Amino acid sequence: MDRTKWTRKDLLGLEDLSADELVAILDTAESLKEVSTRSIKKVPALRGKVVVNLFFEPSTRTRVSFELAAQRMSADVVQMASTGSSTQKGETLQDTARNIEAMGVDIVVIRHSEAGAPHMLAKILEPSIVNAGDGRHEHPTQGLLDIFTIREHKKRFAGLKVAIVGDISHSRVARSNIWGLTKLGAEVTVVGPSTLIPSHIEKMGAKVFYSLDDVIGEFDVINMLRIQLERQKTKLFPSIREYSRLFGLNAERLKKAKKDVLIMHPGPINRGVELAADVADGPHSVILNQVTNGLAVRMAVLYLVSGAKGGIDQK
Ligand code: CP
């Protein structure tokens, strides 16, 4: 499928997408990545379009990357956070969104702590809705940039063994990666303490292991997740030190991994907890490549959902 056949108004999650649609986004991102290496880092593809970034949760990578992506595609872009907005005076999300729509916006990018918030907006608003992370449900552009980075380095998905390690229960990143990677033919295994692995995860197509040391040598890619203490309502492991001892990736444990293993992390990293600094910054790490690729992926997503008919270099 080429990008001219993309028909969706919104990007809400990877669960809904076909393998062809995933490849269409990855291929579009690949052609857009080069724009960020030009001396003038801009193409006119979205000139005249308006993008609003509604971030109701903290973010560094996703927020900056969506803003830069919109700018590089020549869209007008407005940032809105809950702090300083009328949501602090009690305005509902629906009312906020309808008021933004009334100002002639084309694309709303939303991050929200409630799973399903982007889906609710997609039902009631005409502008395209892009999910930038909804609760613990999905983070589709993070999944896509992870998958793009894996394709760039490994050149294949069929038979590729990917481990996602850590706090699977609270992770929207894990869910988007599992949906996307399994559709493309990769074999996904989740690894972590049983208290951080939800029982339904095998139904999504992932294998489950509770000991990293037993299986670490099998994987082509290891995606280390952040321990999300802010989402944990009860104590799910004895201590951070214990978690790090059993599931943290340090130079000693990395010796048991494949020689060409890729180490990934969506950020922000708890250094010394899930990843030792020398692994995070070491030769296997592609963590900053993920961030670079996130910009190209978000340019591609904005371009595709906008329904722009011209090529990338023409309006
Ligand atoms: N990976 C990720 O979503 O990072 P931010 O929370 O900084 O956007």
Side-chain angles (χ1 to χ4, degrees):
M1 180 174 140
D2 67 47
R3 66 171 179 271
T4 57
K5 304 230 176 84
W6 177 272
T7 55
R8 288 178 189 266
K9 170 177 98 64
D10 310 301
L11 178 70
L12 302 176
L14 301 194
E15 180 177 3
D16 307 331
L17 299 191
S18 66
D20 281 350
E21 287 173 308
L22 290 166
V23 171
I25 299 173
L26 299 179
D27 288 349
T28 306
E30 197 168 294
S31 58
L32 283 164
K33 191 173 171 181
E34 166 273 325
V35 172
S36 296
T37 66
R38 297 181 189 179
S39 56
I40 296 173
K41 298 175 177 55
K42 223 173 184 104
V43 287
L46 295 186
R47 192 185 293 149
K49 302 278 185 192
V50 181
V51 178
V52 173
N53 287 339
L54 294 183
F55 276 69
F56 294 101
E57 267 192 345
S59 170
T60 298
R61 282 146 288 270
T62 314
R63 192 177 60 80
V64 173
S65 160
F66 267 115
E67 181 168 8
L68 281 175
Q71 288 173 351
R72 287 195 185 172
M73 303 297 275
S74 300
D76 296 321
V77 56
V78 178
Q79 298 284 356
M80 202 197 101
S82 45
T83 310
S85 78
S86 290
T87 54
Q88 288 189 308
K89 300 180 199 162
E91 187 171 58
T92 65
L93 174 60
Q94 285 199 17
D95 280 339
T96 300
R98 284 205 165 107
N99 278 270
I100 284 167
E101 178 181 39
M103 292 183 233
V105 164
D106 299 288
I107 302 174
V108 176
V109 177
I110 175 166
R111 169 170 288 193
H112 203 282
S113 57
E114 292 297 326
H119 306 68
M120 185 269 286
L121 293 191
K123 283 198 189 113
I124 62 166
L125 297 190
E126 260 183 49
S128 294
I129 306 297
V130 177
N131 181 358
D134 62 322
R136 55 172 90 173
H137 175 232
E138 279 224 43
H139 190 349
T141 57
Q142 180 69 45
L144 286 163
L145 74 88
D146 293 342
I147 292 167
F148 183 96
T149 306
I150 292 170
R151 186 174 83 159
E152 191 168 65
H153 285 82
K154 296 293 182 185
K155 314 290 182 208
R156 69 186 168 98
F157 292 111
L160 199 74
K161 294 192 175 192
V162 180
I164 305 175
V165 179
D167 185 356
I168 311 297
S169 288
H170 300 91
S171 177
R172 52 197 178 203
V173 175
R175 276 172 192 72
S176 289
N177 266 273
I178 294 169
W179 289 126
L181 284 165
T182 53
K183 278 171 209 249
L184 293 170
E187 187 184 290
V188 181
T189 302
V190 297
V191 185
S194 58
T195 48
L196 292 180
I197 299 192
S199 51
H200 69 266
I201 212 80
E202 278 161 305
K203 293 201 186 98
M204 292 174 65
K207 292 185 179 178
V208 178
F209 276 93
Y210 301 109
S211 161
L212 183 56
D213 284 324
D214 286 351
V215 286
I216 189 168
E218 295 179 11
F219 302 114
D220 303 294
V221 178
I222 302 177
N223 197 346
M224 301 297 295
L225 299 180
R226 182 172 71 87
I227 285 293
Q228 300 191 40
L229 293 170
E230 77 279 15
R231 288 192 204 277
Q232 293 181 13
K233 305 243 177 327
T234 53
K235 208 165 168 10
L236 295 171
F237 45 83
S239 69
I240 291 282
R241 183 195 282 257
E242 171 88 345
Y243 177 83
S244 187
R245 189 174 65 75
L246 293 173
F247 295 100
L249 196 51
N250 53 31
E252 195 53 34
R253 187 163 272 143
L254 189 60
K255 284 183 194 158
K256 298 187 205 154
K258 284 189 175 177
K259 294 283 165 269
D260 62 349
V261 69
L262 286 191
I263 303 301
M264 305 177 73
H265 192 298
I269 301 171
N270 296 309
R271 281 176 183 260
V273 179
E274 65 265 3
L275 265 187
D278 53 357
V279 177
D281 304 326
H284 294 276
S285 169
V286 291
I287 293 169
L288 293 178
N289 299 90
Q290 289 172 257
V291 177
T292 303
N293 291 335
L295 183 47
V297 161
R298 288 173 179 127
M299 289 166 77
V301 167
L302 294 178
Y303 178 65
L304 291 170
V305 299
S306 78
K309 292 284 177 263
I312 285 159
D313 276 299
Q314 55 192 117
K315 195 180 161 196

